Amino acid sequence: MSQESSGMIDFFRLLPETYSGGIYLFEIVSGKLLFTNEYFQKTFGVSGAQDLTAKSELLSLIHKEDKPLWQSQTKSLTQSPAGTRVEFDIRFLLEKGEHPRWFHFNEKSVNLSQVSDQILGIGYVNDVTNQKINEDNIREQIQFSVSLFENASLGMALQDWEGGYFRVNARFTEITGYSIEDLTYLNMKRVNKIGLSKEEKDYFSLMGDGMEFGESVLYRKDGRRINIYRRTNIFRNSEGRPNFYYLLLDDLTEKKQIESYNLHSQKMETIGNLAGNLAHDLNNYLQPIHVFSQLGKEILSKQDLATSKDKLSDYLEKIGMAANSARSMIHRIIRFSKKNDEEAISIVEISSILESNIPILLAEIPKNVQLECSFSFEPLFVKIDPVRICKLIGELVIGSVFPWEDKKEGLIHLSTKQIPWSQADSLEDRVLISLEFTGLAVSNLSINDFMQKSIFEEEEIKWKGLHLLNRYVKNWGGEVRLEKNTETGLILSIDLPLEKEISVAPVPLPNMNSGNTGSHWDIVSKKKIWIVEDDEPARESIATVLSLKNIEPILFESSIAALEYSKQELPDFVLSDYRMKDINGLNLIRKLKEKAPNLSAVLYTGNAEGVDLETLEKEGILVRTKPISIDELYESILLSFGLL
């Protein structure tokens, strides 16, 4: 009986009324298409019932990568009993240049025994391109999210609603020091009500009742306290119950350290600027003291004051010594205010250096921390960079290396003492600088563990200050030791070799009052000499010194005044202060030299940092350091005129 006469085709023509996709009827073995509905025909370009084609002809439209799948699925249906169903997705290239379109095929073999013994296949097909694209997008988003989770710069963790961790990323383990296995073990201890330390309990209190964020403190597995920023998101199920928590963790320890360092640097820069200005002003005060002490000695030497000469001379000698000591101290202050880190090792008395640094330490340490000092009565000389040791000790006491407990009283005891070679287990006497800290946030810090892990390694960011200290002390031939004496206390010891004091006699300058120099000063006295100094006592003292050589200098209190006067007359020699309120002395001299190229000049300053002495000498400008002595002043003038 033919299928047409059986009414089978009429039945298939009615199927589109119940199915919106493509429908086709085919012979299993030959693949001949017996019927296709309009959707199928329009989609795959198949003719109507009068010109049916074979199913195999669709192979030319299939994407080359999917052709094997099409062939295998078609073959599997021919080798299977009636009632077998196959489903598969195939990509078709229906138009040239068009993106592939996905189609889902659902085929089933049937035995229409009441009509014929032949097994036929019924197929359904529909376009699933959008669905596939969505699935691919979702898959890519999932992969992207997983990649972000695993490679994020923030610590990320997923917790169940009871607090157990079921996924953490690598950064989370780096920040906390706990692996997923460690956290699972802690959770088991918590569930089984086995005692947890306060620090361990912190890892189950990071969650909240909703979205929470803020800074807090956490202890790593190794006991070190770190500053963190946490953010917790809660995800609830359909019943409104917490399903799991999404935790973000960021380590702020390095950031806090940098902030502390920047704050400290700003403070030190302020102190440095203050010290520089103070040194400049003090130099102006020292100038007349230094000059008049020498003038007094010279006057006394020409007077017949038998009863008081020796005593007055002794007093004036002490004034000069005090001026020299103050000058040396000011130079140290200026060097401390420098922003560069050049090394300047010298033999110094360590107790005096540390004692002079106490005001700076008091300005730096937290308000809740007190400083106590006990220095050796005997002078202890060591060969170090005095500015560097003060800066390093400053880093230790302000809390950038050892954190102080918040809102608790702290104490630093700074001391120095000599250790004989027999007690020091050495062949030489040693000097011990000891810093004893009380009230630090180091209750869980195991010093022994850190010593075993090389406490001074550079990669340990929090201990970088110790690494720096250790490096410099070793360069000075010393050793750094660290020990824990109480729950909140540490003792840091700096062991240095004891040096013998070396007294260096000052090299005397040539005496300008002796010898045959009278004719030289006769020449100079006829020159036009200018003194430019914004400090009146310093200006007058220099004028007085020059008057002893019959020189009457013209005095100016500013560079502007000197430049204005140069419009009517030019000098033969200029002695100018460097730092002045308007134009600095160097610029003044250069402007005057533009008008008078043969001008002789001396620039004197309390801080020669940044001054190119070699270049200025080629320009014919001598540089002298404040306070300038009488002999230095006389010598400089004669050198400027080529008379010495």
Side-chain angles (χ1 to χ4, degrees), residues 227-243:
N227 299 97
I228 62 167
Y229 180 88
R230 69 176 180 91
R231 184 183 184 91
T232 306
N233 292 326
I234 185 172
F235 293 87
R236 301 180 182 273
N237 57 23
S238 58
E239 300 175 357
R241 186 178 183 182
N243 197 10

Side-chain angles (χ1 to χ4, degrees), residues 473-486:
V473 171
K474 283 188 178 295
N475 290 341
W476 301 331
E479 182 182 354
V480 177
R481 294 190 296 271
L482 182 66
E483 58 181 305
K484 187 175 180 181
N485 60 337
T486 63

Side-chain angles (χ1 to χ4, degrees), residues 47-59:
S47 304
Q50 301 300 323
D51 189 19
L52 298 179
T53 184
K55 181 183 174 186
S56 59
E57 292 181 12
L58 297 177
L59 189 63

Side-chain angles (χ1 to χ4, degrees), residues 25-34 53-57 74 78 118-121:
L25 180 68
F26 62 98
E27 293 178 353
I28 293 293
V29 177
S30 66
K32 182 180 181 181
L33 292 171
L34 304 177
T53 184
K55 181 183 174 186
S56 59
E57 292 181 12
T74 301
T78 62
Q118 184 180 13
I119 297 179
L120 301 178

Side-chain angles (χ1 to χ4, degrees), residues 572 574 578 584-594 596-603 610-623 639-640:
D572 298 309
V574 172
Y578 182 39
N584 68 53
L586 180 56
N587 288 336
L588 167 66
I589 292 173
R590 285 174 171 167
K591 287 180 180 296
L592 292 174
K593 272 184 166 291
E594 291 177 0
N598 296 325
L599 175 69
S600 299
V602 172
L603 180 72
V611 177
D612 190 341
L613 301 181
E614 185 177 348
T615 300
L616 293 184
E617 187 175 349
K618 292 178 180 178
E619 295 181 28
I621 303 173
L622 297 179
V623 179
L639 282 173
S640 297

Side-chain angles (χ1 to χ4, degrees), residues 284-303:
N284 289 331
Y285 301 147
L286 283 172
Q287 179 67 56
I289 296 174
H290 194 79
V291 169
F292 284 119
S293 65
Q294 294 189 28
L295 283 176
K297 290 179 65 177
E298 187 173 336
I299 293 172
L300 284 174
S301 66
K302 298 178 181 178
Q303 302 293 330

Side-chain angles (χ1 to χ4, degrees), residues 294-354:
Q294 294 189 28
L295 283 176
K297 290 179 65 177
E298 187 173 336
I299 293 172
L300 284 174
S301 66
K302 298 178 181 178
Q303 302 293 330
D304 186 14
L305 302 174
T307 57
S308 59
K309 180 178 179 180
D310 292 340
K311 188 173 182 180
L312 289 174
S313 180
D314 180 60
Y315 286 163
L316 292 173
E317 181 71 24
K318 291 180 179 180
I319 292 173
M321 291 174 59
N324 286 331
S325 298
R327 180 184 183 185
S328 176
M329 178 198 70
I330 288 170
H331 288 170
R332 285 205 309 270
I333 294 175
I334 291 173
R335 186 168 172 271
F336 190 89
S337 69
K338 288 183 179 181
K339 298 181 179 65
N340 55 33
D341 292 330
E342 61 185 29
E343 187 94 358
I345 298 177
S346 58
I347 296 178
V348 297
E349 204 289 300
I350 188 61
S351 297
S352 299
I353 294 297
L354 295 179

Side-chain angles (χ1 to χ4, degrees), residues 182-198:
D182 296 330
L183 293 170
T184 302
Y185 172 70
L186 291 181
N187 193 40
M188 293 300 297
K189 287 176 64 176
R190 182 182 64 85
V191 172
N192 295 325
K193 298 184 179 179
I194 300 175
L196 293 174
S197 66
K198 176 184 178 298

